[in-house]
Amino acid sequence: MRTQSSVEIGTEWGIVSARQVGRELSKEIGFNNVDQARIATAISELARNIYLYTENGLIGLEVVEQGHSKGIKIVARDEGPGIENLREAMTDGHSSSNGLGAGLPGVKRLMNEFDIESELGKGTVITATKWLR
Amino acid sequence: MRIPILKLGKYLLISVQVELDDQTALQFQEDLLNRIHEEGSEGIVVDLTSVEMIDSYIAKVIGDVVEMSNLMGAKVVLTGIQPSVAITLVEMGITLSEVPTALNLEQGLEKLQQELEG
């Protein structure tokens, strides 16, 4: 089993390929159908943010273990403009593009752990983990 | 990639069998509106049985398709939304509340008939 993958998000096709890789990996680890959909959706949202707001970036996918539990960690990394107001970006209904504003808060709800670090002019790193129940 | 649109009397039937990427979704939006215009269709069933994931952008495009079709005077019913898709949509906070839905194609056609008669 691959335990690590990385997909470049330079084009719209990167979004599709990142979520396909994520779904495959989460299936291999043993996530059920619903969790596979949650993980694929979270990856899609994060990859789309990279595609919309930055020149390019990466979605990293990693199998992680903690004690007896296994999980999948998504790392979305870009060198874009950074997020000016993190609190606002994490509010439901807020959107700086033409979307529904469900993006980041939605991802947080779909996953078990969520962390965001952003520096203006430097970029953003979002880490989200889902554990097998 | 293009999603085939089938004509059945005054209805149009669509079964989405591919993974919906952005371009495919937007192309479908345009193709469907053009077909409604050409055929004078009154009702449309879009079956999503094979769709395994809908993110916020794709959900917006689907919602837009329904609204645009309504503007043209055609009713749209979405059918076959997978349990995992329904769960993730609600958890994401995405509501397609104005959109008529049905369990499967058969019930979708019945629902269209009711909508058009009622």
Side-chain angles (χ1 to χ4, degrees):
Chain A
M1 181 167 72
R2 288 163 307 163
T3 54
Q4 227 172 353
S5 288
S6 174
V7 182
E8 251 180 79
I9 313 295
T11 66
E12 206 197 289
W13 276 104
I15 304 174
V16 176
S17 103
R19 67 191 185 216
Q20 278 168 351
V21 172
R23 185 180 275 271
E24 279 306 310
L25 197 59
S26 50
K27 197 174 178 177
E28 282 173 27
I29 299 172
F31 281 106
N32 66 25
N33 192 267
V34 176
D35 277 341
Q36 285 174 36
R38 287 190 176 107
I39 292 161
T41 308
I43 293 170
S44 196
E45 298 292 338
L46 296 174
R48 189 179 299 286
N49 280 349
I50 292 174
Y51 172 70
L52 285 178
Y53 300 119
T54 73
E55 287 290 305
N56 54 56
L58 284 176
I59 295 282
L61 299 163
E62 201 182 323
V63 180
V64 285
E65 282 181 66
Q66 198 176 72
H68 291 293
S69 47
K70 228 175 188 185
I72 187 169
K73 182 160 95 174
I74 310 167
V75 182
R77 187 186 302 271
D78 70 66
E79 293 175 2
I83 301 169
E84 205 174 322
N85 192 334
L86 273 184
R87 185 189 295 244
E88 212 169 59
M90 289 308 297
T91 309
D92 267 315
H94 170 80
S95 174
S96 40
S97 66
N98 214 9
L100 287 176
L104 291 182
V107 171
K108 193 176 177 182
R109 280 195 294 271
L110 294 176
M111 304 292 285
N112 296 127
E113 287 168 26
F114 183 92
D115 180 65
I116 183 167
E117 278 172 45
S118 192
E119 203 177 330
L120 280 184
K122 291 261 172 86
T124 303
V125 180
I126 297 172
T127 313
T129 308
K130 186 88 182 164
W131 295 104
L132 264 177
R133 279 171 295 180
Chain B
M1 213 169 332
R2 278 190 128 112
I3 296 170
I5 300 170
L6 307 177
K7 184 171 187 271
L8 180 74
K10 55 189 178 181
Y11 298 147
L12 294 176
L13 299 184
I14 298 100
S15 168
V16 182
Q17 300 275 359
V18 294
E19 177 159 16
L20 280 171
D21 63 87
D22 302 9
Q23 277 312 315
T24 306
L26 290 174
Q27 182 72 53
F28 167 64
Q29 185 176 79
E30 211 175 301
D31 286 350
L32 179 62
L33 296 179
N34 282 327
R35 280 296 289 276
I36 293 170
H37 182 69
E38 285 162 17
E39 313 276 5
S41 312
E42 295 176 4
I44 294 105
V45 179
V46 181
D47 186 67
L48 299 170
T49 305
S50 305
V51 174
E52 292 184 325
M53 193 230 59
I54 295 179
D55 69 7
S56 58
Y57 178 78
I58 298 293
K60 182 176 188 298
V61 174
I62 292 173
D64 286 353
V65 169
V66 174
E67 200 178 328
M68 290 167 184
S69 304
N70 288 344
L71 274 176
M72 291 179 67
K75 297 265 183 213
V76 184
V77 176
L78 301 181
T79 64
I81 293 181
Q82 293 283 330
S84 56
V85 173
I87 291 170
T88 45
L89 280 177
V90 170
E91 286 180 355
M92 286 281 289
I94 297 165
T95 50
L96 289 165
S97 53
E98 304 287 307
V99 180
T101 53
L103 201 53
N104 53 41
L105 196 58
E106 193 179 353
Q107 292 183 14
L109 282 167
E110 275 171 30
K111 187 147 191 168
L112 260 189
Q113 217 130 28
Q114 290 165 4
E115 294 257 345
L116 290 172
E117 282 162 13

